[in-house]
Amino acid sequence: MSHTLTAKEQSLARIFSADYVFQIPGYQRPYSWGTEQANELISDLTTALALAPPNLGDSTPYFLGSIVLIKPESSTEATVVDGQQRLTTLTLLLSAIRATVGDAAVQNEITGCIYEKGSVVKATQASYRLSLRDRDREFFRTYVQHEDGLSQLVSLTAKLPDAQDRLRSNAQVFMAELLKLSQPDLVRLVQFIITRCYLVTVATPDLDSAYRIFGVLNSRGLDLSATDILKADIIGKVDESLRDDYTQKWESKEEDLGRSEFGDLFSHIRMVYRKSKPHGTLLKEFNEHVIPSHQPRQLVDEVIIPMAEAFSELRDAVYTSTQHAEKVNEHLTWLNRLEFNDWVPPALRFFVLHRNDPSLVLEFFRDLERLSYSMLIRRIGPNGRIERFSALTSAIESEMDLFDSSSPLQLSAEEQHLAYMALDGAMYDTHSSRALALLLLRLDRIMSDASATYQHDVVSVEHVMPQQPAPNSSWAAWMPDKADHQRWVHRLGNLALLSRKKNSSASNRDFGWKKSSYFTKGGTSAFALTTEVLQHADWTLDVLEKRQARMVGLLESHWRLQDRRSKEELSKELLRLLEVDPSSIVFEIASRRIGITAQAKQHPDRFTILKGSQARLNWTGKNHAYEQLRVELQSTGALSASADGTHLVFMKDADFSSPSAASAVVVGRADNGRTTWRVQGSSITYGAWKDNQPAGQRAEEVS
């Protein structure tokens, strides 16, 4: 077979002739050009026509782009790999001109460009220059290609599928513009389109090389998206007998999510596999990190479809379950309000795996909200967020106990401290207005016992006590010390929410006026935070201190920041532990999720799990040498099932070469023992304890 590639500039007279019979394969995306593209096309063509000389043959050729075809040189059959949007829209435009031009001879010639009529005498069927995908083919023939169809199409009022609705809308655009032209101008326009408009046809008889050309062209900015190229690549590798089924599966999910968010989904899937900041295009990294892990059908059935369904539920906060659904959707609603979406990849991975465990789902999204909002509060940048959420995705995949204090889902004592200190600080000064409004809305929802709803077009944050109070005002009397004013003016306790834009001239008005005319509409406020302000007659230091303590306390309780420890406090604790005889220190794993506890000690040449410690009943991780170590301990009787059969118990002390080997046996999967083991009764990890020991006292650790 010849593998010759041809590229030709061809006029539409040649394109819409018996030389080509274009077929849109079932695995292509639906027709997607909207009225913006339709308006642009007809505007460009009429502008070019206006600039053309009287003799159109002397005008400069007008190029409309390229199309990529699978077409043997000896055949008229041409499968369209790229270009269906142009070919479909040009056919629609020709049909619209046919419907508006009055000359019957011109109408017949346009029909000849659109399809070749069948003949009773010759016993031939009609031959259409362009055939769309199966689900739109008959609609296109009836309402666009046949002579009397377009007038019916523009008058249709029934609800249509997306692709057909776009055809109707674009037909209405074309008809509205063409009716502005005189009959001679209509004839001149169709002459210009057919004789002076060109497409570059890139044709190859080989499917694989057509896809390669398709990828090269579209990676350089033509109108198809990365997901279209991936679809052509993935669906194109599915067995031909199943290709239409998988095309329908793909397009059904794309239609459910919407084209833009379907593209977002692929970015999230890329991140699930990539687990680091992207360094290339979506197309390149999806091909490098996702596609090699799956066969095409498996990729669609086990990755794209489940994650599309999960993404839909997470994005719309419509989790359904007989338990906890309302609470889960509450957390999802607030996650979706964040200005970043780095939390989505681990959420997708978790949700696909554990959707049917509502109690676990509730715990996960409660803690994911906590982690995500703490990042907003602590102003963690994109790189820090990507690193943390990627670690969380890895922890989910390795079946780590996500609720253990060492999990990436949980906040360390120091992270809790940093979040608390930020909340108790001058947040108006340190955070963006968008971030601050979101945090105050979250607090407002907590204060209202989750009964408040927020449908305001505008939400703004305003100071109660002005930033620059007048010297003789009541504000100055209530807060005479300028240092007190500076310390309190930008803190949460002095902030309120408005359902209107801020008014700088109103900010400095007296307290009574602000309460009656600025903080309220019709005497009431939609926000619990602001309603609380209205209850005070004076705005004194005592009022501010109590309000600040209440507001920060509510967030502290909601996001569980009570175990916070500053870096200095942690350092002091570590120094105290370093003064203790290493052989007396007990390390511990306490997993509420698995329901086990284990204790261990470090000796100079070994790490020993103590008798009575518990371990997970079964190995749940991937194959690993540590799994065999568990089997050996069980075979010798050192590790046996508990009386109730829920876990394993160490029947005697057991020595290990490293804390990681020991923790793997305990939790039933490969594990980093340096972070999982903690000094009993403290938040200090084994790794922190060991790394800070004097060099001469460090125990040897064999990994």
Side-chain angles (χ1 to χ4, degrees):
M1 176 186 288
S2 170
H3 288 263
T4 304
L5 181 149
T6 62
K8 301 176 182 177
E9 298 172 0
Q10 301 202 42
S11 70
L12 295 196
R14 186 75 178 272
I15 295 293
F16 292 111
S17 75
D19 288 356
Y20 291 96
V21 179
F22 297 107
Q23 297 283 340
I24 307 299
Y27 52 84
Q28 284 280 22
R29 65 180 167 107
Y31 179 66
S32 63
W33 271 19
T35 54
E36 182 179 349
Q37 288 97 335
N39 266 310
E40 184 178 2
L41 175 63
I42 194 165
S43 175
D44 288 349
L45 289 172
T46 53
T47 299
L49 178 63
L51 298 174
N55 181 4
L56 290 178
D58 296 332
S59 65
T60 303
Y62 189 87
F63 286 94
L64 294 168
S66 64
I67 58 177
V68 179
L69 311 172
I70 302 170
K71 181 184 178 297
E73 288 187 33
S74 59
S75 173
T76 59
E77 298 289 331
T79 300
V80 180
V81 177
D82 181 25
Q84 71 147 323
Q85 308 299 325
R86 288 181 177 82
L87 292 172
T88 303
T89 307
L90 288 167
T91 302
L92 182 65
L93 177 56
L94 290 174
S95 179
I97 297 173
R98 181 180 61 186
T100 50
V101 75
D103 190 317
V106 175
Q107 291 175 353
N108 288 334
E109 288 193 50
I110 294 174
T111 296
C113 294
I114 296 174
Y115 80 105
E116 186 176 331
K117 295 182 179 181
S119 170
V120 175
V121 174
K122 297 179 182 178
T124 57
Q125 300 292 320
S127 175
Y128 297 88
R129 306 297 184 210
L130 173 65
S131 292
L132 299 193
R133 307 171 330 140
D134 286 345
R135 63 178 72 178
D136 298 320
R137 185 173 299 157
E138 285 306 315
F139 180 90
F140 192 67
R141 288 177 177 176
T142 300
Y143 291 108
V144 176
Q145 292 173 305
H146 291 169
E147 290 89 329
D148 57 349
L150 204 83
S151 59
Q152 299 176 52
L153 175 60
V154 296
S155 302
L156 283 178
T157 58
K159 181 175 176 57
L160 298 172
D162 282 354
Q164 296 172 17
D165 183 55
R166 292 187 184 99
L167 286 168
R168 175 175 58 188
S169 297
N170 290 345
Q172 291 167 343
V173 166
F174 288 153
M175 292 295 284
E177 292 302 314
L178 293 171
L179 287 171
K180 299 174 184 177
L181 302 180
S182 66
Q183 286 295 312
D185 283 343
L186 285 171
V187 174
R188 185 171 165 82
L189 175 61
V190 75
Q191 289 173 338
F192 178 76
I193 291 171
I194 293 298
T195 64
R196 303 309 297 161
C197 289
Y198 285 73
L199 285 169
V200 176
T201 62
V202 182
T204 173
D206 179 74
L207 179 66
D208 291 336
S209 57
Y211 282 137
R212 284 196 297 273
I213 297 164
F214 172 82
V216 169
L217 288 173
N218 285 283
S219 66
R220 292 178 183 168
L222 297 189
D223 61 341
L224 294 187
S225 70
T227 55
D228 295 320
I229 301 172
L230 290 169
K231 176 187 171 188
D233 183 29
I234 295 165
I235 303 298
K237 292 174 182 174
V238 172
D239 293 342
E240 191 171 352
S241 61
L242 298 171
R243 201 171 286 164
D244 284 346
D245 289 341
Y246 276 82
T247 297
Q248 188 167 358
K249 287 183 181 183
W250 183 294
E251 291 176 0
S252 175
K253 295 307 173 189
E254 183 176 22
E255 190 166 330
D256 288 346
L257 286 175
R259 184 162 171 77
S260 175
E261 297 212 356
F262 193 65
D264 293 341
L265 169 66
F266 275 70
S267 295
H268 295 314
I269 294 174
R270 179 257 303 267
M271 189 60 72
V272 168
Y273 286 81
R274 182 76 169 88
K275 296 185 180 69
S276 65
K277 186 177 181 179
H279 294 288
T281 64
L282 172 61
L283 188 62
K284 178 177 181 290
E285 295 208 334
F286 208 91
N287 277 307
E288 289 177 354
H289 299 283
V290 183
I291 289 178
S293 302
H294 306 275
Q295 293 298 314
R297 288 170 56 190
Q298 180 193 31
L299 180 59
V300 175
D301 291 333
E302 298 179 14
V303 178
I304 294 171
I305 289 177
M307 288 205 176
E309 292 170 349
F311 188 46
S312 179
E313 285 193 71
L314 300 183
R315 173 199 63 178
D316 296 333
V318 290
Y319 174 64
T320 55
S321 173
T322 56
Q323 293 179 289
H324 309 312
E326 186 175 351
K327 291 181 179 178
V328 171
N329 289 329
E330 172 81 358
H331 294 302
L332 287 172
T333 297
W334 289 100
L335 281 164
N336 280 304
R337 283 177 173 265
L338 285 164
E339 59 193 27
F340 54 82
N341 59 13
D342 310 276
W343 59 271
V344 175
L348 286 174
R349 178 59 95 191
F350 175 87
F351 197 72
V352 168
L353 292 171
H354 302 292
R355 190 207 179 286
N356 295 324
D357 187 340
S359 296
L360 186 62
V361 169
L362 175 59
E363 285 189 275
F364 176 81
F365 284 105
R366 176 202 65 195
D367 287 1
L368 188 61
E369 182 201 318
R370 177 190 185 224
L371 172 62
S372 302
Y373 272 78
S374 82
M375 289 183 169
L376 180 70
I377 294 164
R378 292 180 288 125
R379 296 186 295 166
I380 303 300
N383 291 342
R385 295 196 304 266
I386 289 171
E387 182 178 351
R388 181 62 166 267
F389 286 122
S390 295
L392 177 55
T393 303
S394 296
I396 293 165
E397 293 172 343
S398 67
E399 300 186 5
M400 181 181 184
D401 180 1
L402 299 177
F403 308 102
D404 183 80
S405 58
S406 63
S407 162
L409 181 60
Q410 303 305 318
L411 296 180
S412 69
E414 185 180 354
E415 288 171 335
Q416 293 179 49
H417 171 78
L418 293 172
Y420 183 89
M421 294 305 293
L423 288 171
D424 201 32
M427 293 204 73
Y428 191 91
D429 243 2
T430 56
H431 288 68
S432 70
S433 57
R434 181 178 176 184
L436 186 56
L438 178 59
L439 288 168
L440 286 173
L441 282 171
R442 188 68 186 105
L443 175 58
D444 193 83
R445 178 79 168 168
I446 296 167
M447 290 178 68
S448 64
D449 296 324
S451 62
T453 56
Y454 306 103
Q455 304 295 330
H456 311 290
D457 293 332
V458 177
V459 174
S460 57
V461 178
E462 179 60 288
H463 294 81
V464 180
M465 176 175 62
Q467 298 183 65
Q468 296 178 325
N472 298 321
S473 66
S474 56
W475 301 112
W478 290 328
M479 193 78 65
D481 189 327
K482 290 185 178 180
D484 285 340
H485 175 270
Q486 288 302 311
R487 186 165 61 253
W488 284 97
V489 67
H490 294 317
R491 295 171 77 177
L492 292 180
N494 190 48
L495 301 177
L497 287 169
L498 305 181
S499 56
R500 64 176 77 187
K501 290 184 179 179
K502 292 173 61 174
N503 183 338
S504 58
S505 64
S507 298
N508 287 339
R509 298 290 292 268
D510 65 73
F511 192 33
W513 184 92
K514 290 177 83 168
K515 287 194 295 180
S516 62
S517 303
Y518 189 37
F519 289 161
T520 63
K521 285 185 178 180
T524 62
S525 171
F527 304 108
L529 270 173
T530 308
T531 299
E532 186 181 68
V533 173
L534 304 179
Q535 298 169 358
H536 294 282
D538 303 324
W539 201 248
T540 63
L541 181 59
D542 182 62
V543 169
L544 270 171
E545 288 175 341
K546 290 178 179 177
R547 187 168 187 257
Q548 175 77 8
R550 170 170 153 72
M551 293 169 74
V552 174
L554 285 170
L555 293 175
E556 174 194 27
S557 175
H558 180 71
W559 286 320
R560 307 192 320 278
L561 306 178
Q562 297 91 339
D563 294 331
R564 60 187 180 274
R565 308 283 295 279
S566 69
K567 182 179 289 187
E568 292 74 17
E569 290 172 321
L570 292 170
S571 296
K572 288 178 181 178
E573 182 180 9
L574 181 57
L575 286 172
R576 179 183 60 79
L577 290 171
L578 293 176
E579 294 173 355
V580 176
D581 180 4
S583 64
S584 67
I585 291 180
V586 176
F587 298 95
E588 184 177 50
I589 292 175
S591 174
R592 178 177 57 84
R593 176 70 188 159
I594 303 175
I596 59 170
T597 59
Q599 295 78 36
K601 286 190 173 185
Q602 175 71 66
H603 299 289
D605 59 347
R606 66 193 186 280
F607 189 85
T608 303
I609 294 182
L610 304 181
K611 178 182 177 180
S613 294
Q614 300 168 335
R616 196 173 199 161
L617 185 62
N618 298 307
W619 182 270
T620 61
K622 298 177 181 179
N623 292 337
H624 197 281
Y626 293 152
E627 181 181 9
Q628 183 59 37
L629 182 56
R630 264 174 68 104
V631 172
E632 292 172 4
L633 288 167
Q634 288 176 277
S635 66
T636 62
L639 195 57
S640 298
S642 63
D644 60 5
T646 60
H647 57 273
L648 300 178
V649 178
F650 283 85
M651 307 308 292
K652 59 181 181 179
D653 289 357
D655 295 334
F656 294 86
S657 62
S658 70
S660 293
S663 63
V665 169
V666 170
V667 300
R669 55 172 172 75
D671 184 63
N672 182 2
R674 289 174 57 85
T675 58
T676 304
W677 291 105
R678 292 178 181 261
V679 176
Q680 193 172 45
S682 82
S683 58
I684 303 298
T685 65
Y686 171 90
W689 171 82
K690 180 178 182 296
D691 291 345
N692 285 278
Q693 283 188 317
Q697 297 180 21
R698 291 184 186 177
E700 291 298 320
E701 179 187 343
V702 182
S703 58

